[in-house]
């Protein structure tokens, strides 16, 4: 008989160095990782709920704040945060300059200009009746206006309507809010008339207060053609209103002077945007900081929940870990199992949190009559961040589970 080396492999078996652990396929990894969720559904559901509540809080905060900001943006847009006014400056002699007749056409060529309109000063005055002394004007100016002025400055109506293609040529007038109050007029009808420029004009509209241009509140507006025909208006514009793409306000503002009057840009005065624009910018910065802070807190709470759940899972399942190690599972496969379970738990909580947070946002926005806005980036960030934090939180429990030897794990109750 020939002696066999004590460490030699038995006949017919491959050398030990040739034995390799079986690699788990992605589908197998998912099934193994879901074992803990299937065998302990109540604990998994409660853990996922805890994560979902944290993520829902983040999504709801982002959604409600975004909806509120969207509503604020709509309100501020009506106040003209993207409207600039162009008026004549002074020439080198100190006299008031004039806007060229081509100012409107030239300004309209700027790509970021959305609306523009103009008004022109007349020398007429307006009175409630023809018996009011000429000196009692109440400071009400009479301006020639174009049909597109309300759309440009965001004007709304308390009564009646604006000048149209039919009324802008005749004896029709629209009163600003302050002018109407001074004249004691609050309705617009064929029977409501004012004495304007030595003749009767019919009041066809009364404007609500205009936050963008409060100077228009104390004004009476007549059609451009009617002013030329009945009031001796010379046709020269005194103010040009320009509504711009909000993202390009500063860029367009630098171009307006030399666009309106290329030969003498120094004779053009471009007013700064309304204070509402600065309020909007400050509000956006405040909201952004608030979102980042609250989102970070919510994600931190979710990560602590995942870590706590996975550590408890490792402690409860030492016997299972021991049996799997005894049957040939490697340390790497144990790590992958518990890491996958943490990711699945985080994914369930994250997805549920997005749905719950969106529902809360929609419900609250409906009660406030706000537009609903849940940014896609917030939903994607919520799920993605949950997975990253879940992986980080589940890494230590997974490593701890992999370090358990089969005998140690089976010896534990």
């Amino acid at each position: 008989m020939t002696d066999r080396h004590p460490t030699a492999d038995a006949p017919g078996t491959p050398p030990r160095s040739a034995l390799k652990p079986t690699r788990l396929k992605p589908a197998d990894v998912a099934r193994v990782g879901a074992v803990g969720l299937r065998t302990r559904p109540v604990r998994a559901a409660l853990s996922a709920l805890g994560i979902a509540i944290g993520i829902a809080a983040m999504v709801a905060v982002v959604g409600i704040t975004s909806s509120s900001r969207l509503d604020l943006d709509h309100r501020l847009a009506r106040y003209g945060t993207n409207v600039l006014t162009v008026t004549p400056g002074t020439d080198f002699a100190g006299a008031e300059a004039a806007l060229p007749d081509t100012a409107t056409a030239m300004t309209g060529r700027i790509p970021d200009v959305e609306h523009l309109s103009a008004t022109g000063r007349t020398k007429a005055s307006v009175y409630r009746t023809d018996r009011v002394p000429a000196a009692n004007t109440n400071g009400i100016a009479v301006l020639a206006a174009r049909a597109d002025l309300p759309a440009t400055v965001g004007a709304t109506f308390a009564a009646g309507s604006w000048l149209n293609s039919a009324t802008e040529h005749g004896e029709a007038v629209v009163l600003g809010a302050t002018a109407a109050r001074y004249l004691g007029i609050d309705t617009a009808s064929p029977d409501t008339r004012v004495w304007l420029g030595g003749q009767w004009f019919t009041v066809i509209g009364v404007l609500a207060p205009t936050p963008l241009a409060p100077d228009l509140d104390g004004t009476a507006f007549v059609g451009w053609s009617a002013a030329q025909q009945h009031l001796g208006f010379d046709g020269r514009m005194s103010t040009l209103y320009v509504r711009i793409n909000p993202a390009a306000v500063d860029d367009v503002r630098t171009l307006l002077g030399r666009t309106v009057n290329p030969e003498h840009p120094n004779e053009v005065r471009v007013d700064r945007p309304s204070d509402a624009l600065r309020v909007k910018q400050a509000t956006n910065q405040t909201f952004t900081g608030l979102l980042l802070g609250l989102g970070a807190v919510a994600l931190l709470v979710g990560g602590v929940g995942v870590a706590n759940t996975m550590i408890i899972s490792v402690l409860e399942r030492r016997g299972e870990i021991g049996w799997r190690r005894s049957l040939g599972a490697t340390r790497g496969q144990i790590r992958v199992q518990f890491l996958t379970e943490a990711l699945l738990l985080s994914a369930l909580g994250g997805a549920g949190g997005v749905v719950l947070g969106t529902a809360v946002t929609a419900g609250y926005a409906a009660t406030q009559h706000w537009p609903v806005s849940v940014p896609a980036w917030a939903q994607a960030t919520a799920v993605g961040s949950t997975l990253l934090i879940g992986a980080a939180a589940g890494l230590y429990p997974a490593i701890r589970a992999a370090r358990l030897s089969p005998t140690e794990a089976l010896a534990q109750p």
Side-chain angles (χ1 to χ4, degrees):
M1 293 179 63
T2 58
D3 293 333
R4 195 184 324 168
H5 193 278
T7 59
D9 296 317
T13 61
R16 292 182 182 179
S17 59
L19 295 176
K20 294 182 180 180
T22 303
R23 292 179 178 269
L24 294 178
K25 298 179 180 179
D28 297 328
V29 171
R31 281 195 294 268
V32 171
V35 168
L37 305 183
R38 292 197 306 267
T39 56
R40 295 170 176 80
V42 175
R43 181 179 60 80
L46 292 177
S47 301
L49 179 61
I51 298 171
I53 291 175
I55 297 302
M58 187 196 76
V59 173
V61 167
V62 173
I64 291 174
T65 307
S66 179
S67 299
S68 174
R69 180 167 58 184
L70 184 61
D71 179 70
L72 177 62
D73 288 347
H74 288 171
R75 292 174 183 268
L76 292 178
R78 291 198 296 268
Y79 295 162
T81 61
N82 56 337
V83 174
L84 298 175
T85 56
V86 181
T87 54
T90 56
D91 57 22
F92 289 108
E96 184 179 71
L99 296 179
D101 294 335
T102 59
T104 303
M106 294 294 290
T107 303
R109 295 179 182 178
I110 300 177
D112 291 304
V113 171
E114 298 177 346
H115 298 282
L116 72 158
S117 188
T119 59
R121 289 191 300 266
T122 72
K123 297 180 180 180
S125 298
V126 58
Y127 308 93
R128 185 65 181 89
T129 70
D130 57 350
R131 300 182 182 275
V132 177
N136 296 343
T137 63
N138 279 324
I140 301 175
V142 178
L143 296 180
R146 296 179 176 175
D148 49 10
L149 181 62
T152 303
V153 300
T156 57
F157 290 86
S161 60
W162 186 250
L163 302 162
N164 55 37
S165 57
T167 57
E168 66 179 354
H169 300 286
E171 295 86 356
V173 60
V174 176
L175 302 177
T178 304
R181 187 174 69 254
Y182 286 165
L183 294 171
I185 295 173
D186 56 6
T187 61
S189 68
D191 298 329
T192 306
R193 300 191 301 170
V194 294
W195 186 252
L196 194 156
Q199 54 192 302
W200 291 105
F201 274 67
T202 302
V203 178
I204 64 170
V206 176
L207 293 178
T210 308
L212 164 64
D215 55 305
L216 296 181
D217 291 342
T219 304
F221 303 92
V222 298
W224 203 273
S225 299
Q228 291 177 307
Q229 185 177 356
H230 302 291
L231 306 178
F233 175 52
D234 59 8
R236 306 185 90 178
M237 66 184 74
S238 58
T239 305
L240 180 65
Y241 296 93
V242 186
R243 183 178 289 273
I244 307 160
N245 181 345
V249 172
D250 293 333
D251 294 336
V252 174
R253 184 186 171 201
T254 60
L255 296 175
L256 274 178
R258 55 180 179 269
T259 300
V260 170
N261 193 343
E263 296 182 358
H264 304 286
N266 58 297
E267 297 181 0
V268 178
R269 185 175 65 189
V270 180
D271 290 346
R272 297 178 62 182
S274 63
D275 290 338
L277 178 59
R278 292 190 291 275
V279 172
K280 178 180 178 181
Q281 293 172 341
T283 301
N284 285 343
Q285 293 175 356
T286 302
F287 279 151
T288 300
L290 177 65
L291 294 182
L292 292 176
L294 292 177
V297 172
L299 290 176
L300 178 62
V301 171
V304 171
V306 171
N308 183 57
T309 299
M310 295 311 301
I311 289 175
I312 294 175
S313 179
V314 170
L315 295 176
E316 289 180 346
R317 296 162 63 189
R318 289 178 175 177
E320 175 191 333
I321 296 170
W323 280 110
R324 289 209 63 212
R325 294 283 282 118
S326 300
L327 294 174
T330 64
R331 294 180 183 273
Q333 290 172 348
I334 297 297
R335 281 195 299 268
V336 169
Q337 174 186 349
F338 281 88
L339 191 58
T340 302
E341 184 175 333
L343 289 173
L344 291 175
L345 193 61
S346 300
L348 289 174
V354 169
V355 174
L356 181 59
T358 302
V360 170
T361 299
Y364 187 81
T367 62
Q368 300 297 319
H369 306 289
W370 293 343
V372 179
S373 174
V374 181
W377 66 262
Q379 301 180 41
T381 301
V383 177
S385 300
T386 306
L387 291 176
L388 289 176
I389 292 180
L395 185 60
Y396 171 71
I399 294 174
R400 181 172 177 174
R403 287 177 177 175
L404 290 174
S405 65
T407 55
E408 180 186 0
L410 290 174
Q412 301 274 343

